[in-house]
């Protein structure tokens, strides 16, 4: 039995807000075609058919939708994809997920998500002030209240969701405010996504996270999270979960956490396929899902080249006591959370604080889960 995951961009890089730090806006601007528009029905039909070629009865398939803003493809698009999946003859367990800014979500969307058990990633930047500074609509207005309304809809419909928070360099100074917000809004699952500098940037932008700020944020957050856990209240923080899964459960639940890349099968709206969401670039195009199966795409030279791409690790990494459980981490996250120009590693310092407390953490977690 195998588990295959794909990431579909049904509306390409189209978006209805203008986040100041958007990494995909940068990535798409480096392509010959910036946006491929909305995925057409014939492409969706062939995409699902070719994905199922490599599946057998009993396998699992996760279909995640991302953008840009994927909901711009329209609710009927998602209904069509679900119908196409359900029409396949093989008995495959299906999981759906979507990452959204939440702006156009309404009761019809919620009914659909609930019916088909979508796991939703909802983008909220951890504090109203910072959210409204950076996540603005085309008229320059903040979007916090609109997104908070969507969160309340999810709560009402009992939709499974987690919060996605882009951790910018300025926001990284505000761990206490962010944690207070999580408690006030009763947010139980959150992932902090390091804000990245532009690809091939000549000058660092002010939003891009640095390893020192990364550590400073998680240093404060860990203490706050630990105190809350001691009181029997558990908030799932993705990085902490990933470390525990790796070191205790021997499970890899984050791409790049062991320093090696994986093929993610990112499918753009025109049916072109790429190995990683950070590298949806012309030079990394593996092929087209209308023409090849996932297995055939995996065997392409560009796929193997991507997997083998790796710069020599710095001496600092080779001498690190955590080398075997990191190996330099995700190459795209290097400047955000790993080594800076002065050889300060934010992730190393997080592990130094976190790892010695693992036994204590597991005992507390077991107590909370009983």
């Amino acid at each position: 039995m195998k588990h295959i995951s794909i990431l579909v961009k049904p509306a390409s890089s189209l978006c209805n807000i203008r986040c100041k730090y958007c990494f995909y806006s940068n990535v798409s601007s480096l392509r010959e075609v910036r946006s491929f528009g909305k995925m057409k029905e014939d492409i969706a039909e062939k995409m699902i058919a070719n994905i199922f070629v490599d599946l057998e009865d009993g396998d699992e398939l996760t279909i995640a939708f991302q953008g840009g803003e994927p909901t711009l493809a329209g609710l009927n698009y998602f209904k069509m994809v679900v119908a196409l999946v359900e029409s396949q003859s093989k008995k495959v367990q299906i999981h759906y997920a979507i990452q959204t800014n939440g702006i156009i979500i309404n009761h019809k969307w919620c009914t659909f998500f609930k019916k088909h058990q979508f796991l939703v990633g909802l983008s909220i930047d951890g504090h109203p002030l910072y959210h409204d500074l950076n996540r603005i609509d085309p008229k320059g207005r903040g979007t916090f209240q609109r997104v908070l309304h969507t969160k309340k809809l999810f709560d009402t419909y009992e939709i499974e969701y987690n919060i996605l928070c882009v951790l910018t360099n300025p926001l990284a100074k505000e761990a206490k405010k962010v944690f207070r917000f999580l408690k006030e809004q009763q947010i139980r699952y959150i992932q902090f996504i390091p804000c990245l500098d532009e690809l091939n940037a000549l000058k660092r932008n002010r939003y891009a996270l640095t390893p020192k700020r990364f550590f400073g944020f998680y240093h404060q957050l860990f203490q706050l999270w630990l105190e809350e856990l001691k009181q029997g209240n558990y908030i799932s923080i993705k990085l902490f979960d990933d470390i525990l899964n790796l070191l205790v459960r021997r499970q890899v639940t984050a791409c790049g956490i062991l320093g090696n890349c994986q093929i993610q099968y990112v499918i753009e709206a025109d049916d072109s396929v790429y190995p990683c969401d950070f590298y949806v670039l012309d030079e990394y195009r593996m092929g087209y899902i209308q023409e090849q199966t996932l297995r055939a795409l995996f065997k392409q030279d560009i796929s193997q080249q991507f997997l083998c791409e790796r710069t020599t690790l710095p001496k600092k990494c080779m001498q690190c006591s955590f080398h075997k459980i990191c190996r330099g981490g995700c190459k795209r996250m290097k400047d955000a959370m790993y080594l800076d120009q002065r050889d300060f590693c934010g992730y190393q310092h997080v592990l130094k604080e976190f790892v010695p407390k693992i036994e204590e953490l597991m005992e507390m977690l077991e107590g909370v889960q009983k």
Side-chain angles (χ1 to χ4, degrees):
M1 186 181 79
K2 56 184 176 293
H3 188 169
I4 291 176
S5 297
I6 63 169
L7 180 63
V8 182
K9 293 183 175 288
S12 192
S13 62
L14 298 176
C15 195
N16 50 0
I17 64 174
R18 301 291 182 268
C19 298
K20 295 177 181 177
Y21 49 62
C22 180
F23 89 88
Y24 203 66
S25 176
N26 166 238
V27 169
S28 62
S29 72
L30 300 175
R31 298 192 305 232
E32 184 175 337
V33 178
R34 183 162 193 157
S35 175
F36 298 107
K38 298 176 183 179
M39 183 178 285
K40 296 177 181 177
E41 185 172 348
D42 61 328
I43 292 177
E45 289 178 0
K46 192 62 176 177
M47 174 181 74
I48 296 302
N50 265 0
I51 288 168
F52 268 79
V53 167
D54 293 325
L55 296 171
E56 304 294 338
D57 289 348
D59 287 346
E60 291 185 57
L61 171 66
T62 295
I63 305 177
F65 300 93
Q66 199 182 57
E69 173 50 39
T71 59
L72 293 183
L75 183 53
N76 285 338
Y77 165 85
F78 290 91
K79 290 179 177 179
M80 173 191 65
V81 170
V82 169
L84 288 169
V85 169
E86 291 177 346
S87 70
Q88 303 300 311
S89 60
K90 294 177 182 176
K91 297 178 181 178
V92 174
Q93 186 175 354
I94 307 295
H95 309 279
Y96 294 108
I98 186 171
Q99 293 188 17
T100 177
N101 58 35
I103 297 297
I104 66 172
I105 300 298
N106 56 23
H107 291 279
K108 288 183 179 180
W109 280 98
C110 289
T111 300
F112 174 79
F113 289 154
K114 183 64 178 178
K115 179 181 179 180
H116 298 286
Q117 298 181 301
F118 269 64
L119 171 63
V120 183
L122 179 64
S123 294
I124 304 179
D125 272 2
H127 189 273
L129 172 64
Y130 287 91
H131 183 106
D132 277 345
L133 279 173
N134 298 321
R135 301 186 68 83
I136 56 177
D137 67 15
K139 294 183 179 180
R141 300 171 300 190
T143 59
F144 177 78
Q145 289 301 328
R146 279 174 276 181
V147 180
L148 192 63
H149 174 71
T150 296
K151 176 201 172 293
K152 292 175 181 177
L153 278 178
F154 289 164
D155 289 333
T156 299
Y157 279 82
E158 297 182 339
I159 289 168
E160 189 177 355
Y161 71 93
N162 54 52
I163 297 302
L164 306 175
C165 173
V166 176
L167 188 60
T168 62
N169 221 37
L171 183 61
K173 296 187 294 184
E174 307 290 358
K176 290 182 180 179
K177 290 181 180 179
V178 171
F179 197 75
R180 189 183 309 127
F181 173 76
L182 299 181
K183 292 177 63 178
E184 288 172 353
Q185 295 299 324
Q186 298 181 316
I187 292 168
R188 310 309 303 172
Y189 300 90
I190 186 161
Q191 177 180 356
F192 295 101
I193 304 169
C195 185
L196 302 177
D197 215 338
E198 295 180 349
L199 279 167
N200 307 319
L202 298 177
K203 183 180 179 182
R204 194 170 185 85
N205 74 59
R206 71 185 192 89
Y207 302 106
L209 188 65
T210 63
K212 278 196 173 180
R213 285 279 175 86
F214 170 85
F215 168 65
F217 177 79
Y218 276 103
H219 168 70
Q220 291 188 62
L221 190 70
F222 184 49
Q223 310 308 318
L224 296 165
W225 180 75
L226 201 55
E227 285 304 311
E228 198 69 13
L229 191 57
K230 287 176 181 177
Q231 296 172 35
N233 302 319
Y234 171 65
I235 297 175
S236 170
I237 294 173
K238 183 70 162 58
L239 180 66
F240 298 160
D241 290 347
D242 289 335
I243 296 171
L244 288 173
N245 286 335
L246 181 66
L247 299 182
V248 178
R249 304 179 183 98
R250 299 294 188 264
Q251 298 173 351
V252 176
T253 52
C255 184
I257 196 170
L258 287 175
N260 56 304
C261 292
Q262 302 169 18
I263 298 296
Q264 294 181 347
Y265 299 114
V266 181
I267 304 175
E268 256 285 4
D270 71 329
D271 88 319
S272 54
V273 186
Y274 306 81
C276 174
D277 195 31
F278 292 137
Y279 297 95
V280 185
L281 300 165
D282 296 336
E283 58 265 37
Y284 286 101
R285 187 185 301 117
M286 297 155 59
Y288 295 89
I289 193 63
Q290 289 190 96
E291 301 171 359
Q292 296 169 292
T293 65
L294 296 180
R295 184 172 295 169
L297 289 165
F298 183 83
K299 294 178 179 178
Q300 297 300 303
D301 290 343
I302 190 65
S303 309
Q304 300 308 307
Q305 177 186 328
F306 177 80
L307 290 173
C308 296
E309 275 183 355
R310 188 71 196 184
T311 55
T312 303
L313 290 178
K315 185 178 180 181
K316 171 88 172 181
C317 290
M318 301 304 294
Q319 295 175 341
C320 178
S321 57
F322 300 112
H323 169 67
K324 290 184 178 179
I325 60 169
C326 172
R327 296 186 181 92
C330 170
K331 62 184 179 184
R332 186 66 178 94
M333 297 282 184
K334 179 175 67 70
D335 295 330
M337 57 184 281
Y338 299 102
L339 279 181
D340 64 16
Q341 293 179 340
R342 296 187 177 183
D343 277 358
F344 178 89
C345 179
Y347 187 55
Q348 180 194 63
H349 281 75
V350 168
L351 291 176
K352 281 182 177 179
E353 290 193 348
F354 192 89
V355 172
K357 293 187 177 290
I358 281 183
E359 282 192 31
E360 178 187 354
L361 288 173
M362 292 307 296
E363 287 179 9
M364 287 191 286
L365 287 169
E366 288 173 7
V368 169
Q369 293 167 359
K370 284 181 180 178

